[in-house]
């Protein structure tokens, strides 16, 4: 139970052992109904400010790692950088059509943080993904529209094109994370919103 509670306290990550002991002591006092050792009204505001500043520092560090990763990706041979900051590197050229913003597509996708940690993979799950391009993150839509059917590419996304300032706690993605995706465009399933709607109705 204690470990489960501790694993949920993401805002407190990074404290030293002595600080953690102090925090745990305060938790124990509260659970046992003991009086606090300091005026809560005064120190609650101070604690909130401290946690806010620590979170901001962590986000700045994550953003810096992301910027470095984008620069490294852009320097790879054959890579192109779009106006939005997305870095696109073709692994395998496709043939035929490229999807438009109103198309639905079938893809394989694998996502990694900039340290190489895979956080989601349709390859590992053994299942492809199907979705309309207007219904996914901006970086996926933009990257897939640069591809043709049968193509495979690595796209490095600035955080603004991925999960933004909030990240995704369910995937353990911190706020302002640059992400790297391998995308494989398998098929364009329908070529307009009306056609997609007709397919659903059928």
């Amino acid at each position: 139970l204690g470990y489960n509670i501790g694993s949920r306290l993401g805002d407190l990550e990074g404290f030293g052992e002595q600080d953690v002991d102090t925090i745990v002591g305060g938790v124990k006092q509260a659970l046992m109904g003991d009086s606090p050792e300091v005026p809560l009204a005064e120190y609650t505001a101070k604690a909130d400010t401290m946690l806010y500043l620590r979170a901001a520092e962590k986000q700045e560090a994550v953003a810096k790692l992301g910027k470095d990763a984008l620069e490294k990706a852009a320097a790879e041979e054959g890579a192109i950088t779009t106006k939005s900051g997305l870095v696109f590197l073709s692994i395998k050229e496709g043939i035929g059509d490229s999807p438009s913003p109103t198309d639905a597509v079938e893809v394989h996708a694998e996502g990694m943080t900039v340290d190489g940690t895979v956080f989601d993979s349709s390859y590992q799950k053994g299942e492809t993904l199907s979705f309309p391009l207007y219904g996914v993150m901006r970086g996926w839509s933009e990257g897939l529209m640069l591809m043709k059917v049968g193509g495979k590419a690595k796209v490095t996304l600035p955080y603004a094109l991925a999960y933004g300032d909030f990240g995704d706690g369910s995937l353990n993605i911190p706020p302002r994370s640059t992400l790297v995706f391998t995308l494989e465009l398998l098929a364009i399933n329908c070529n307009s919103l009306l056609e997609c709607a007709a397919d659903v109705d059928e």
Side-chain angles (χ1 to χ4, degrees):
L1 178 61
Y3 188 91
N4 185 44
I5 293 172
S7 67
R8 297 169 184 262
L9 301 178
D11 288 344
L12 302 181
E13 290 181 358
F15 279 95
E17 184 174 356
Q18 184 175 355
D19 291 330
V20 171
D21 287 341
T22 301
I23 293 169
V24 171
V27 172
K28 181 179 179 180
Q29 283 183 299
L31 291 174
M32 299 303 295
D34 296 336
S35 299
E37 296 179 359
V38 296
L40 287 183
E42 176 184 349
Y43 279 87
T44 296
K46 290 182 178 180
D48 288 343
T49 299
M50 179 182 66
L51 291 175
Y52 173 81
L53 292 175
R54 287 179 64 87
E57 289 176 359
K58 288 173 65 175
Q59 290 185 25
E60 285 299 325
V62 169
K64 175 63 167 58
L65 288 174
K67 181 180 179 182
D68 293 344
L70 286 164
E71 291 176 354
K72 182 178 180 181
E76 292 187 69
E77 184 177 355
I80 61 171
T81 303
T82 68
K83 290 182 179 180
S84 68
L86 176 150
V87 180
F88 180 92
L89 179 63
S90 177
I91 298 172
K92 175 187 175 184
E93 292 292 339
I95 57 175
D97 296 331
S98 296
S100 69
T102 57
D103 285 339
V105 297
E106 181 181 4
V107 306
H108 261 309
E110 182 169 84
M112 297 186 297
T113 54
V114 295
D115 66 0
T117 300
V118 175
F119 59 82
D120 200 10
S121 174
S122 66
Y123 294 104
Q124 293 178 5
K125 295 175 181 177
E127 299 178 351
T128 61
L129 304 171
S130 295
F131 48 80
L133 285 184
Y134 61 82
V136 292
M137 69 175 66
R138 289 172 54 199
W140 274 28
S141 296
E142 182 178 348
L144 286 164
M145 285 191 289
L146 296 173
M147 302 170 64
K148 298 181 183 297
V149 174
K152 188 174 185 179
K154 182 179 81 169
V155 293
T156 305
L157 306 184
Y159 68 86
L161 300 182
Y163 292 105
D165 289 316
F166 300 101
D168 188 325
S170 66
L171 296 173
N172 293 319
I173 297 172
R176 303 184 71 185
S177 291
T178 292
L179 299 176
V180 182
F181 288 94
T182 298
L183 298 176
E184 186 175 0
L185 179 58
L186 302 175
I188 299 173
N189 291 331
C190 49
N191 297 313
S192 72
L193 290 176
L194 290 176
E195 185 178 336
C196 290
D199 289 345
V200 172
D201 291 339
E202 292 175 359

